[in-house]
Amino acid sequence: MAEQLDIADVERWVLAFADAVEEEAGYLTDLDRRSGDGDFGSNMAAALRRSREAVAAAGSTAAGDPFQVLGETFLGHSGGTSGPLFGMWFREFGKAGAGAEAFTLEMLAGATANGWATVARLGSARVGDRTMVDAIAPASEALAEAVEGGLSLSEGLRSAAEAARVGADGTSGLLGRRGRTSYVGEAALGSPDPGAVAVALFYGAAREVAGA
Amino acid sequence: MAEQLDIADVERWVLAFADAVEEEAGYLTDLDRRSGDGDFGSNMAAALRRSREAVAAAGSTAAGDPFQVLGETFLGHSGGTSGPLFGMWFREFGKAGAGAEAFTLEMLAGATANGWATVARLGSARVGDRTMVDAIAPASEALAEAVEGGLSLSEGLRSAAEAARVGADGTSGLLGRRGRTSYVGEAALGSPDPGAVAVALFYGAAREVAGA
Amino acid sequence: MRRQFVNDPGDVVAEALEGFAAAWPGHVRLNADPAYVVRARPASGKVAVVSGGGSGHEPLHVGFVGTGMLDAAVPGAVFTSPTAVQIRAASRAVDTGRGVLHVVKNYTGDVLNFRIAGELLADEGVESGIVLVDDDLATDTDDGPGRRGTAAAVVVEKVCGAAAERGADLAELTALGRRVAAGSRTLSVALAAGAHPGQSRPSFELPGDEVEFGVGIHGERARQRRAFGPSREIVPQMVSPLAEALGLGRGSRVLAVVNGLGATSDLELYGVFREARRVLKDAGVDVVRSLVGTYVTSLDMAGCSLTLVRADDEVLELWDAPVATPALTW
Amino acid sequence: MRRQFVNDPGDVVAEALEGFAAAWPGHVRLNADPAYVVRARPASGKVAVVSGGGSGHEPLHVGFVGTGMLDAAVPGAVFTSPTAVQIRAASRAVDTGRGVLHVVKNYTGDVLNFRIAGELLADEGVESGIVLVDDDLATDTDDGPGRRGTAAAVVVEKVCGAAAERGADLAELTALGRRVAAGSRTLSVALAAGAHPGQSRPSFELPGDEVEFGVGIHGERARQRRAFGPSREIVPQMVSPLAEALGLGRGSRVLAVVNGLGATSDLELYGVFREARRVLKDAGVDVVRSLVGTYVTSLDMAGCSLTLVRADDEVLELWDAPVATPALTW
Ligand SMILES: Nc1ncnc2c1ncn2[C@@H]1O[C@H](COP(=O)(O)OP(=O)(O)O)[C@@H](O)[C@H]1O
Ligand SMILES: Nc1ncnc2c1ncn2[C@@H]1O[C@H](COP(=O)(O)OP(=O)(O)O)[C@@H](O)[C@H]1O
Ligand SMILES: [Mg+2]
Ligand SMILES: [Mg+2]
Ligand SMILES: [Mg+2]
Ligand SMILES: [Mg+2]
């Protein structure tokens, strides 16, 4: 497989992510119902439907452009807490790939690290607070290790996807300390945090596109 | 009996009127319930209670003064439709007796005629409209005839009281054309207009004081 | 179950007036007994403009006392006319020798007490004139006391207030006010009745699928109930009869007042205004000025009124003239 | 059964904004997409003051756009934060090069989106600063998101707006706004909940003998219910904790805001103000300025809030400075 993700790959990644979220929308909303206000899946799906059109219409000329579009769409149309956080998250990927023909593993590791920092800063969320950060952080660490260890892009993304999945699953056992889930306390235990699951789907889609 | 009503007589007249209205308050309110909004008796009684005190406090120096006080009290404190009309009515008696030691029959006839004109002008009410005018008008005509015929004060007042009573009773058969009773139509037939009954009580009290 | 922030229901008006005067010391002064409100800085050398009526319609009328509008307002008990003595006292207090214009909503008690006050004032040598505001198209019948007065009072008070400030004499003001009133019509729709202070039940109950169409501002029911629906269906039912009654057509200019009856949100009122403008525009009628907000209420009634006023250059200029009152300032 | 004047509930805000802009052409202009409202006559050479938040609180914030107060307001959907892109667009539109002050009520969504907007603006070289308004004493707990922002927003916007008009720079405005916010506390009492546009049930039901004590402005219940009673019993329960939280005592000066939550009549609000003044006076606290009316609503909620703001000479002078907006003018 390619060691880079070019514009077409990135577009496929975005579409695969949108497909996955739309498929899981009911499940994600159900998770948010247990730990929050039950709008997560439908809000994400709506923002991604809009993003599909926007990405298609944009005519990207750099690998970061689809993410730039995604970021603007989420920041401009998605309410709630996760919408703007995902918007800023995608924006970091957009910045990382700005003007570039393709994403390398290093670039993705850098974007993930910056995205983590941004989400953590804006949401004041740390690992263990039962948020999307609990999937982002392990993915970021896996990518950093992959870069360090000289792994291929597809190997690195597989590792990131697996780490994100494990991180998301692990939120089932966490008590919420940020966002609405912090109001429901122990009632959320036993099911994972929807934002973390969505992050796992994001890296799952990347792994799929990378053929890993 | 005296051919004039001096200040003390006028004060007795006012008190006798207040007594009569207070005694009949329930009945008057009930009449207003049939033909209007059911506040006539209690409003009149309240204004007259206040008037008792005001008249006592006023220290009248002319025969018209108690009526002047009555008029101000009604104009200043009585809501609804009849309150201000009675206020202006009493005011005409106040004007007629302003500066005078006593009321003669002529003066009472003049006050009644002016009161009729004032109430009719302000309320746009004519004889037959089922209002207080239907008691005022016959009283006024009786007084005018008494003056013309050279009757004594007590004879004149008896005639006026009887005419007012007949006029008031006659409103039982009238359809309302002014005030709230005009909204209820035939439902008011069979019971007299409370305002007209009150006017009859007013002349009844005068007759009592005149010893007729 | 309705509750209000009150102490004893009988004290509501007196206590509110005390709070009102304390809240607007730069604009008004209160005379507690007999109750009336005058400007903090009395005007001089102009005809005094005085209005009044039952309370429960706030900010009308006390909220419109101030430069460019009323010299005095005379509040009665809730939904009850002020007395003639109150009106006389307020009028005396603000008369500068050039006479007093009484702006009166057409209700029997108000008309009677203002007329009597006018006679009492005449006895004392104070000249006065009456403008009756009778804009409510829902009560436009041949017999009876005539159309009720509602939100057009704000327009008449504003326009006459501005003209008085410019030195118009009593005869001119009376003629002007009557012309504005004659060119004003209102229709009001209620979605839920208000409740009297201290009373736990609203003055009527409406089924969920109907509105009171042509309601007044005293909690009374309307003559008609009509189907509830989206604003795009209700508003044209208000606009069309008003336009017809005023003879509006292509090229006509109007001032439009969309007024909340007490419990209606700005979101709704602006939505209603948008619909009204659209319907009028389709008819070629130009909304050249507007006032949207809660100005003439029926306690906490949920509902709104639409008033259209024929606008000519003089009316517009007077409408635009400066005004500084608790409830209206520009 | 609650009904409103709406078309499709999803269009309420957009339609109301259209009506709002048409009603106040002398004061504001609307940008429809992304939605924001700016002054009709843009200011130049001053720091721009921008606020925003969910709709359903009208006249807050759009009603405060105009000379001496906001340069722009950014309305979200009902009870929903505006997006960061909306805020960025509005801020860009009014930035004159001296930076943008964001006045933000302390709700997670608002804080997040304004913070993000600040970062987006920084990327473009537009400087911004945030003043968080967190006056709601009922949510003063040690953990969690902190006190909610409610009616003190009006005071912060007015004072910062006046200071911006006089040329204060962004750092000065941020410090001023934070000082005013820090000196502001509010308590709100609901007698009946409002209902979302298009919904027939209010957001909670109250038994007739209780009030929600410490309610917010989003239709949520309070942590406490207390006994309903006359204002003379309820108002002291609001005043005393506020005075204590602000450390008010003999000789303290405050600005008091008595604010209707949507369906509460002026008669009631002025009565509440009268009680509040009385209680404060008994404690030696001087109410040197006040604002009584319906300024920050929770749709058509029946209830009111009392806000006390510590007043020093600078705050008073800025409060008194001229302002000309749809909802506040002097
Ligand atoms: N403060 C925070 N920092 C980071 N992520 C957060 C925070 N609060 C919530 N989230 C994420 O957002 C998700 C919920 O998003 P969403 O349903 O849009 O929020 P809400 O409906 O509560 O506004 C959570 O599952 C969590 O992953
Ligand atoms: N236009 C009118 N002219 C003269 N008298 C009137 C008029 N309208 C009503 N009245 C008198 O007033 C009485 C009712 O008074 P009141 O109960 O005070 O009126 P309301 O409660 O309807 O305001 C009637 O019985 C009638 O005699
Ligand atoms: Mg949610
Ligand atoms: Mg949500
Ligand atoms: Mg009656
Ligand atoms: Mg009555």
Side-chain angles (χ1 to χ4, degrees):
Chain A
M1 271 309 307
E3 277 310 291
Q4 302 201 330
L5 297 179
D6 64 16
I7 298 178
D9 293 328
V10 170
E11 289 184 355
R12 269 197 297 279
W13 180 1
V14 168
L15 294 183
F17 176 52
D19 288 346
V21 169
E22 277 166 39
E23 204 162 297
E24 301 286 346
Y27 169 65
L28 291 168
T29 288
D30 195 52
L31 291 181
D32 192 36
R33 207 170 281 128
R34 288 176 207 201
S35 61
D37 60 352
D39 58 2
F40 183 86
S42 41
N43 280 352
M44 282 292 282
L48 284 165
R49 259 195 305 281
R50 209 183 256 273
S51 302
R52 275 181 202 275
E53 290 171 30
V55 168
S60 299
T61 57
D65 290 0
F67 285 119
Q68 190 62 41
V69 172
L70 215 57
E72 284 288 314
T73 307
F74 270 70
L75 290 173
H77 297 285
S78 175
T81 310
S82 63
L85 288 176
F86 272 109
M88 292 299 275
W89 165 258
F90 295 130
R91 205 157 167 277
E92 292 298 343
F93 283 75
K95 280 190 194 170
E101 267 173 41
F103 275 102
T104 62
L105 186 63
E106 283 84 351
M107 288 161 68
L108 292 175
T112 298
N114 288 340
W116 178 7
T118 298
V119 169
R121 182 180 69 249
L122 291 168
S124 311
R126 296 202 245 167
V127 172
D129 285 352
R130 192 185 161 91
T131 70
M132 51 200 282
V133 167
D134 291 312
I136 293 172
S140 183
E141 281 157 5
L143 286 168
E145 277 172 35
V147 169
E148 192 121 331
L151 268 58
S152 71
L153 179 92
S154 59
E155 284 166 341
L157 283 175
R158 180 171 49 198
S159 164
E162 277 163 6
R165 168 62 55 199
V166 170
D169 288 349
T171 58
S172 294
L174 295 177
L175 279 172
R177 275 197 298 258
R178 287 286 172 265
R180 279 181 214 278
T181 182
S182 65
Y183 303 139
V184 306
E186 311 208 336
L189 292 179
S191 47
D193 175 70
V197 172
V199 169
L201 293 177
F202 178 70
Y203 285 104
R207 166 194 191 166
E208 207 181 300
V209 168
Chain B
M1 273 306 309
E3 277 310 289
Q4 300 200 333
L5 298 179
D6 64 16
I7 297 180
D9 294 328
V10 170
E11 288 183 353
R12 270 197 296 278
W13 179 1
V14 168
L15 294 182
F17 176 52
D19 289 344
V21 168
E22 277 167 39
E23 203 162 298
E24 302 286 347
Y27 169 65
L28 291 167
T29 289
D30 194 53
L31 291 181
D32 193 35
R33 208 169 281 127
R34 288 177 208 200
S35 61
D37 59 354
D39 58 2
F40 183 85
S42 40
N43 280 352
M44 281 292 282
L48 284 165
R49 260 194 306 279
R50 208 183 257 274
S51 302
R52 275 182 203 275
E53 292 172 29
V55 168
S60 298
T61 58
D65 290 0
F67 285 120
Q68 189 63 40
V69 172
L70 215 57
E72 284 288 315
T73 308
F74 270 71
L75 289 174
H77 297 284
S78 175
T81 309
S82 62
L85 288 175
F86 271 109
M88 292 299 274
W89 165 258
F90 295 130
R91 207 159 166 276
E92 292 297 343
F93 283 74
K95 280 190 195 173
E101 269 172 41
F103 275 102
T104 62
L105 186 64
E106 284 83 350
M107 286 162 70
L108 292 174
T112 300
N114 288 340
W116 176 8
T118 297
V119 170
R121 182 179 69 249
L122 291 167
S124 311
R126 295 202 245 168
V127 173
D129 284 351
R130 191 187 162 91
T131 70
M132 52 200 279
V133 167
D134 291 312
I136 294 171
S140 182
E141 282 157 3
L143 287 167
E145 277 172 32
V147 169
E148 194 122 330
L151 268 55
S152 71
L153 180 94
S154 58
E155 285 167 341
L157 282 175
R158 180 172 49 201
S159 163
E162 277 164 9
R165 169 61 57 198
V166 171
D169 289 348
T171 58
S172 294
L174 294 176
L175 278 172
R177 274 198 297 257
R178 287 285 172 265
R180 278 181 216 278
T181 181
S182 66
Y183 303 140
V184 306
E186 312 208 335
L189 292 180
S191 46
D193 174 70
V197 172
V199 169
L201 294 176
F202 179 71
Y203 285 103
R207 166 195 190 165
E208 208 179 299
V209 168
Chain C
M1 180 71 188
R2 291 292 181 87
R3 278 96 44 81
Q4 297 97 9
F5 295 102
V6 296
N7 287 317
D8 304 313
D11 297 335
V12 167
V13 173
E15 294 187 354
L17 286 172
E18 200 185 314
F20 174 74
W24 300 102
H27 286 82
V28 301
R29 292 286 177 274
L30 170 66
N31 190 79
D33 188 17
Y36 59 84
V37 169
V38 296
R39 296 188 190 183
R41 283 177 303 277
S44 62
K46 63 179 272 297
V47 175
V49 182
V50 174
S51 190
S55 293
H57 308 302
E58 290 66 32
L60 191 81
H61 299 271
V62 291
F64 300 124
V65 173
T67 316
M69 212 158 165
L70 299 182
D71 292 274
V74 197
V78 172
F79 294 170
T80 304
S81 167
T83 68
V85 163
Q86 262 178 287
I87 300 163
R88 177 182 59 187
S91 302
R92 267 184 199 152
V94 295
D95 179 39
T96 69
R98 295 198 56 200
V100 183
L101 182 74
H102 288 157
V103 178
V104 183
K105 302 192 301 305
N106 188 32
Y107 297 100
T108 307
D110 289 336
V111 174
L112 192 60
N113 282 291
F114 272 94
R115 271 203 208 162
I116 292 174
E119 301 206 352
L120 301 179
L121 289 165
D123 283 358
E124 303 178 359
V126 175
E127 210 188 350
S128 67
I130 283 196
V131 172
L132 279 193
V133 179
D134 60 346
D135 50 319
D136 179 32
L137 189 57
T139 43
D140 199 340
T141 51
D142 285 337
D143 54 349
R147 292 184 302 265
R148 297 176 292 210
T150 68
V154 178
V155 182
V156 174
E157 290 171 17
K158 169 68 186 79
V159 168
C160 289
E165 219 75 46
R166 295 179 177 196
D169 66 26
L170 184 56
E172 288 164 348
L173 287 176
T174 310
L176 171 68
R178 288 179 182 173
R179 185 161 68 79
V180 174
S184 301
R185 290 294 183 282
T186 296
L187 274 174
S188 310
V189 172
L191 302 181
H196 259 261
Q199 285 182 8
S200 62
R201 318 245 86 232
S203 57
F204 56 79
E205 298 278 357
L206 262 172
D209 55 352
E210 288 183 335
V211 302
E212 291 284 332
F213 194 92
V215 80
I217 54 174
H218 295 88
E220 66 276 49
R221 293 197 37 195
R223 296 204 185 158
Q224 285 183 38
R225 290 191 170 177
R226 293 197 184 171
F228 176 62
S231 292
R232 75 171 72 86
E233 285 168 20
I234 293 177
V235 175
Q237 298 177 54
M238 303 169 81
V239 175
S240 304
L242 294 175
E244 194 183 326
L246 290 173
L248 303 179
R250 209 148 288 279
S252 299
R253 297 185 301 164
V254 295
L255 187 163
V257 181
V258 173
N259 171 60
L261 293 174
T264 300
S265 68
D266 279 7
L267 280 181
E268 297 170 73
L269 297 179
Y270 286 116
V272 166
F273 177 58
R274 176 183 166 277
E275 292 297 333
R277 262 182 105 234
R278 199 177 48 74
V279 177
L280 286 164
K281 194 177 177 187
D282 287 351
V285 177
D286 204 4
V287 178
V288 289
R289 293 293 185 283
S290 61
L291 186 68
V292 182
T294 297
Y295 296 101
V296 180
T297 57
S298 179
L299 292 170
D300 57 345
M301 175 175 271
C304 76
S305 63
L306 173 65
T307 303
L308 299 182
V309 184
R310 276 198 297 256
D312 56 34
D313 289 341
E314 185 190 5
V315 168
L316 290 178
E317 207 197 322
L318 292 166
W319 177 257
D320 290 342
V323 59
T325 71
L328 207 67
T329 297
W330 57 66
Chain D
M1 179 70 189
R2 293 292 182 88
R3 279 95 45 80
Q4 298 96 7
F5 295 102
V6 296
N7 287 317
D8 304 313
D11 297 335
V12 167
V13 174
E15 294 187 355
L17 286 172
E18 200 184 313
F20 174 74
W24 300 102
H27 287 81
V28 301
R29 293 284 177 274
L30 170 68
N31 191 77
D33 189 18
Y36 60 83
V37 168
V38 296
R39 295 187 189 182
R41 282 175 305 276
S44 61
K46 63 180 273 296
V47 175
V49 183
V50 174
S51 190
S55 293
H57 308 302
E58 291 65 32
L60 189 84
H61 297 272
V62 291
F64 300 123
V65 173
T67 316
M69 212 159 164
L70 299 181
D71 293 275
V74 196
V78 172
F79 295 171
T80 304
S81 167
T83 68
V85 162
Q86 264 178 284
I87 299 163
R88 176 181 61 188
S91 303
R92 267 185 199 154
V94 294
D95 178 41
T96 68
R98 296 198 55 201
V100 183
L101 182 75
H102 288 157
V103 179
V104 183
K105 301 193 300 306
N106 188 31
Y107 296 100
T108 306
D110 289 335
V111 174
L112 191 61
N113 282 290
F114 271 94
R115 271 204 208 161
I116 292 174
E119 302 206 352
L120 301 179
L121 289 165
D123 283 357
E124 302 177 1
V126 175
E127 211 189 348
S128 68
I130 282 196
V131 171
L132 278 193
V133 180
D134 59 346
D135 50 319
D136 178 33
L137 189 57
T139 43
D140 199 340
T141 51
D142 286 337
D143 54 348
R147 292 185 303 265
R148 297 175 293 208
T150 67
V154 178
V155 181
V156 174
E157 291 170 17
K158 170 68 184 79
V159 168
C160 289
E165 219 76 44
R166 294 177 178 200
D169 66 25
L170 184 56
E172 288 163 349
L173 288 176
T174 310
L176 172 68
R178 288 179 183 171
R179 185 161 67 80
V180 175
S184 302
R185 291 294 184 280
T186 296
L187 274 174
S188 311
V189 172
L191 303 181
H196 258 261
Q199 284 181 10
S200 61
R201 315 246 90 229
S203 56
F204 57 80
E205 298 279 357
L206 262 173
D209 55 352
E210 290 183 333
V211 302
E212 291 284 331
F213 194 91
V215 81
I217 54 173
H218 295 89
E220 66 276 48
R221 293 197 37 196
R223 295 200 189 162
Q224 286 183 37
R225 289 190 173 178
R226 294 196 184 170
F228 175 62
S231 292
R232 74 170 74 84
E233 286 168 20
I234 293 178
V235 175
Q237 299 177 54
M238 303 168 81
V239 175
S240 303
L242 294 175
E244 194 183 326
L246 290 174
L248 303 179
R250 210 150 286 282
S252 299
R253 297 185 301 164
V254 295
L255 187 163
V257 181
V258 173
N259 171 59
L261 294 175
T264 300
S265 69
D266 279 8
L267 280 182
E268 296 170 72
L269 297 179
Y270 285 115
V272 167
F273 177 59
R274 176 183 165 278
E275 292 296 333
R277 260 182 106 236
R278 198 178 48 74
V279 177
L280 286 165
K281 196 178 176 187
D282 287 351
V285 177
D286 204 5
V287 178
V288 289
R289 294 293 185 283
S290 63
L291 186 68
V292 183
T294 297
Y295 295 101
V296 179
T297 56
S298 179
L299 293 170
D300 57 345
M301 174 175 271
C304 77
S305 63
L306 173 65
T307 302
L308 299 182
V309 183
R310 275 199 296 257
D312 56 33
D313 289 341
E314 184 189 5
V315 167
L316 290 178
E317 205 197 324
L318 293 166
W319 177 257
D320 290 342
V323 59
T325 71
L328 207 67
T329 297
W330 56 67

